[in-house]
Amino acid sequence: MKPQDILAEKTSLWIFGYGSLVWKPDFKYKKSKVGYIQGYKRRFWHGDNFHRGNDEMPGRVVTLVEDDDACTWGVAYEVTGSQIEESLKYLNVREAVLGGYITRAVEFVPRGVGEPPLLALVYIATADNPIYLGPASPKEIAAQIIVSHGRAGQNIEYLLRLADFMRCQCPEVEDAHLFSIEAAALALVPYLLGSQQAVPAS
C-alpha cells in the first residue's frame, strides 16, 4: 500500500510510530496520542545501515511482526493540510528509501476512556528486505547494538530512548523483548568500556 492510496482526498491523516518516531518525529503535526495497535509485536529484527549503523556494521532497529495475540504501544501523530504531504515526503526518505520500510494501514487505539479507534499509517520492514536481520537472542542483539552507530547517532541511544518512552508513557506495559535487550546491553557496556581502555595508545 502506498501513502497516496491512503490519502485519497483526506484532510487529516494519522501516522503511528513505534520506534524512533516516538521521541523524534521530525515533522510538523497537529496533535499526538499514546496508544497501541493490535495484531503486531515489536522486534529488533531489522538492520540499519544508515541511521544507526553502516554497511560494515549494521545496527538493529525495530519493525513489526504479525502476531494475533500481541499489541504494540507507541504514538500516533495527526497531520493536517499541508503537513500531510510534507510529513509523507520526509518519512518516505527516512523510512522507505533509507530504511527499507513499507506502509500499511492499521487500527490505532488511543489510551483513554471513550477514545474511538483511528485508522493510521504505519511503516513496517518485512523479511524480504535486503537488510532484514531476523531473530536473535537478546544478548546477540545487544552485542550488535552497543558497537553500532550511524548518521543519526549510537545504536544504543535508540534502544535506551525507546525503553525510556515505554517506562514513562506506558508504565503499565511489560515489553519483555525490549527490556531484555536493554538489560543485556547495559550489562555489556562495562566490558566494552574496559576493553577500550585496555588498548594502549599509539
Side-chain angles (χ1 to χ4, degrees):
M1 181 180 296
K2 296 180 179 179
Q4 55 263 38
D5 297 330
I6 298 173
L7 286 178
E9 300 180 1
K10 280 185 177 291
T11 57
S12 173
L13 174 70
W14 288 88
I15 299 168
F16 177 68
Y18 57 92
S20 59
L21 288 182
V22 303
W23 75 83
K24 191 180 168 105
D26 276 350
F27 56 82
K28 294 179 181 179
Y29 56 90
K30 183 179 180 181
K31 57 186 173 183
S32 63
K33 295 177 182 283
V34 173
Y36 63 90
I37 62 171
Q38 294 179 307
Y40 291 93
K41 58 188 178 183
R42 174 171 44 212
R43 291 293 182 265
F44 274 86
W45 290 359
H46 190 47
D48 186 335
N49 59 2
F50 185 85
H51 299 291
R52 300 288 175 172
N54 53 52
D55 290 333
E56 291 73 32
M57 194 177 290
R60 276 195 181 251
V61 291
V62 291
T63 185
L64 295 177
V65 179
E66 291 186 31
D67 183 338
D68 292 340
D69 299 323
C71 71
T72 295
W73 285 78
V75 181
Y77 301 93
E78 183 186 24
V79 290
T80 61
S82 62
Q83 293 175 346
I84 297 176
E85 184 177 355
E86 291 167 3
S87 62
L88 290 179
K89 184 177 180 181
Y90 168 72
L91 289 171
N92 181 59
V93 174
R94 172 173 166 172
E95 305 292 339
V97 176
L98 298 177
Y101 289 74
I102 61 171
T103 52
R104 287 185 186 171
V106 294
E107 185 179 80
F108 170 76
V109 182
R111 181 172 54 196
V113 179
E115 289 269 11
L118 305 163
L119 185 66
L121 181 73
V122 67
Y123 289 80
I124 299 174
T126 57
D128 58 1
N129 192 291
I131 55 175
Y132 192 84
L133 297 176
S137 71
K139 286 185 178 180
E140 290 171 325
I141 293 174
Q144 190 169 354
I145 285 175
I146 65 171
V147 296
S148 298
H149 60 88
R151 299 191 187 187
Q154 300 289 332
N155 200 179
I156 193 170
E157 178 199 18
Y158 177 104
L159 167 65
L160 298 180
R161 282 184 176 269
L162 184 53
D164 284 346
F165 162 79
M166 287 299 296
R167 286 199 180 91
C168 294
Q169 299 296 326
C170 315
E172 73 280 13
V173 181
E174 176 57 36
D175 191 325
H177 177 78
L178 170 61
F179 293 145
S180 65
I181 295 169
E182 178 198 32
L186 292 175
L188 287 171
V189 167
Y191 294 100
L192 177 66
L193 294 176
S195 65
Q196 290 177 338
Q197 291 170 354
V199 177
S202 56

